[in-house]
Amino acid sequence: MQSWVRTPVAIVFALASLSAISERVREQSVTDTEIRIGNVMPYSGSLDVFGAIGKAEAAYFEMINERGGINGRKVRFISYDDKSDPSAALDLTRGLIEQDNVLLMFGSFGTPGNFAVRTYLNERQIPQLFVASGDDHLSDPSLFPWTMGWQPSIREEGRIYADYIQAFYPGKRIVALWQNDHFGRELFKGLEDGLGDIARMIRVDIAYDIADEHLDTHVSVLKRSGAEIFVFAGVPATAAKVIRIAADLNWHPVFILNYMASSIATALKPAGLENALGVITAAFLKDANDPAWKDERATKDWQAFVDKYNRAGGKDDSAAVFGYAAAETLAQVLKQCGNDLSRENVMKQAAALKDYQGSVLLPGIKISTGPWNFRPIKQLRLVQFDGRTWQPIGEVLETAFSNAQR
């Protein structure tokens, strides 16, 4: 791992001197030449694969700075390693606010860590923007008006899988293997909620720890249930192992993977593309390794970013795309702020995105927010892997959050 992601790690980019712009509203975290943004990520520990999100965000802002910054200011992105420890996330966030004087917290990873810092940030009226968690409770402006999610709801993702199963495989037996943490429980709960009265068709479900060494035993138990549908919730490396184990057992159920475990690069290729044939997920971002997008206009910008990102020691995977897209959304908010970079206006502009189409969002998926709509992405698209590329299944799906006030 590169030196700029050690514990604690600060990703700080040099700032060019720009001519002063007078009469602007700003916090002490904003000067004529810079905007300071804070972030915490698991650059080490059991969830270090998602540290790629923070690396991609750092690379994105470096790219923006090289192009002149945002409204004449460079972004100073300061990111620390919390090792997925909520207490560390709180301590590091306090340091970013009280010592590094950041304007806002952006894109910090994980539900427990974001829960740990939410009250602290809201009491001080500091934006906690576009958190890297799909928990519904991190998008509730009635209780926490300074906290806003970004990605679709994890529970809604589970409900979409339930709807798919009922539509295409009615009466089929289901098993589930889910990561024993808040994320895994939320997705599995969404699956149960979506199935409703036929949740009894879930014959076996197993909760596993991320360091579990008995995956082969778990998969064997699930196979013996006679199930035709296998729903998995976890990280890409575990998904790859589970798909390979099932293939070795000559078991070929309909595989449904949660979106963050469905990267071609970090899950399907390690599993063996022949074993991953037919895998289904609900996506909202383009897969960086999907050849379907290679001829798109945005590819040159993406490839330029990937080249820089790879030089920083990262991978071309779904976590990188996630970080790129989230940073792109924050850049749009800061552009909308103009010269009024007060924290109040940052939140106002974050809640005023109208059909924003990021460059790596899937076609038909747009970002919209409002004073009572703090879930920017409310759409998903079911896709199926054909051994080479992701093929869409039906149209873009709206989640329950789509009916929120805009």
Side-chain angles (χ1 to χ4, degrees):
M1 185 170 287
Q2 302 296 309
S3 60
W4 51 277
V5 292
R6 290 180 304 204
T7 308
V9 57
I11 305 171
V12 182
F13 298 117
L15 307 174
S17 177
L18 303 176
S19 56
I21 303 174
S22 61
E23 310 224 351
R24 69 196 54 178
V25 179
R26 62 177 178 235
E27 308 289 345
Q28 64 175 357
S29 48
V30 178
T31 71
D32 290 333
T33 59
E34 75 171 4
I35 306 167
R36 290 194 288 276
I37 307 297
N39 169 274
V40 296
M41 277 283 155
Y43 292 112
S44 59
S46 60
L47 296 176
D48 63 348
V49 64
F50 296 114
I53 295 173
K55 291 182 185 180
E57 290 164 349
Y60 180 86
F61 290 122
E62 182 180 19
M63 179 179 69
I64 288 294
N65 289 344
E66 289 172 354
R67 296 175 180 177
I70 299 174
N71 296 335
R73 295 181 180 87
K74 303 294 180 70
V75 176
R76 188 181 182 193
F77 181 71
I78 308 172
S79 183
Y80 293 110
D81 184 2
D82 69 355
K83 300 182 179 180
S84 297
D85 180 346
S87 61
L90 179 57
D91 290 342
L92 292 169
T93 298
R94 282 176 172 158
L96 283 160
I97 301 303
E98 298 169 14
Q99 298 170 29
D100 294 311
N101 294 318
V102 299
L103 174 67
L104 57 91
M105 292 298 298
F106 156 69
S108 294
F109 178 83
T111 301
N114 278 297
F115 278 166
V117 305
R118 181 176 57 175
T119 298
Y120 168 82
L121 293 172
N122 276 262
E123 285 177 349
R124 288 157 183 77
Q125 298 186 344
I126 295 165
Q128 183 184 13
L129 280 183
F130 307 149
V131 298
S133 165
D135 189 275
D136 296 344
H137 298 95
L138 288 166
S139 296
D140 186 351
S142 65
L143 295 177
F144 296 96
W146 296 85
T147 299
M148 183 179 287
W150 184 72
Q151 69 194 78
S153 160
I154 296 170
R155 187 171 290 198
E156 286 297 306
E157 184 180 350
R159 289 173 182 154
I160 283 173
Y161 297 141
D163 290 344
Y164 172 77
I165 291 168
Q166 292 181 80
F168 289 89
Y169 299 98
K172 299 297 183 181
R173 293 162 291 186
I174 306 162
V175 291
L177 182 64
W178 51 276
Q179 194 166 289
N180 190 20
D181 58 13
H182 192 90
F183 151 75
R185 284 189 293 274
E186 280 291 288
L187 192 138
F188 182 68
K189 180 63 175 174
L191 178 69
E192 288 186 311
D193 289 347
L195 291 172
D197 291 341
I198 65 168
R200 65 184 182 278
M201 297 306 294
I202 302 176
R203 296 305 171 87
V204 183
D205 74 276
I206 298 175
Y208 72 95
D209 294 327
I210 197 165
D212 200 318
E213 297 180 355
H214 305 288
L215 291 174
D216 52 349
T217 301
H218 299 332
V219 176
S220 180
V221 169
L222 297 177
K223 179 189 177 183
R224 289 199 299 271
S225 73
E228 296 94 349
I229 314 290
F230 186 166
V231 179
F232 173 85
V235 299
T238 308
K241 292 175 184 176
V242 167
I243 293 171
R244 291 191 70 92
I245 292 168
D248 290 343
L249 292 173
N250 196 29
W251 183 34
H252 305 285
V254 175
F255 256 107
I256 298 176
L257 301 182
N258 63 290
Y259 171 66
M260 290 303 288
S262 66
S263 164
I264 293 175
T266 56
L268 305 191
K269 284 184 178 178
L273 294 181
E274 69 283 0
N275 299 325
L277 184 67
V279 162
I280 293 162
T281 193
F284 59 98
L285 296 170
K286 298 170 184 174
D287 191 310
N289 282 265
D290 191 332
W293 313 116
K294 65 182 178 64
D295 296 324
E296 284 215 341
R297 202 171 103 182
T299 300
K300 288 185 179 179
D301 284 344
W302 169 253
Q303 192 57 54
F305 165 77
V306 169
D307 290 344
K308 188 176 294 294
Y309 177 66
N310 279 341
R311 286 200 297 275
K315 290 182 178 179
D316 180 7
D317 63 12
S318 60
V321 179
F322 186 104
Y324 183 96
E328 196 174 46
T329 309
L330 179 63
Q332 176 64 25
V333 169
L334 295 175
K335 288 175 187 174
Q336 290 179 193
C337 286
N339 287 330
D340 181 355
L341 284 163
S342 63
R343 287 170 172 146
E344 291 81 2
N345 193 44
V346 168
M347 287 305 303
K348 179 181 177 181
Q349 297 305 321
L353 293 167
K354 302 299 181 184
D355 292 327
Y356 172 66
Q357 178 74 64
S359 65
V360 293
L361 289 173
L362 285 175
I365 294 181
K366 297 181 180 180
I367 292 176
S368 292
T369 55
W372 299 104
N373 174 4
F374 272 30
R375 176 73 67 186
I377 303 177
K378 296 170 284 294
Q379 299 164 315
L380 287 163
R381 186 161 204 167
L382 282 166
V383 292
Q384 186 168 32
F385 189 63
D386 68 1
R388 178 175 174 269
T389 185
W390 289 106
Q391 298 290 343
I393 303 173
E395 302 300 320
V396 170
L397 300 170
E398 304 282 339
T399 71
F401 287 96
S402 298
N403 296 320
Q405 178 181 340
R406 295 192 179 190

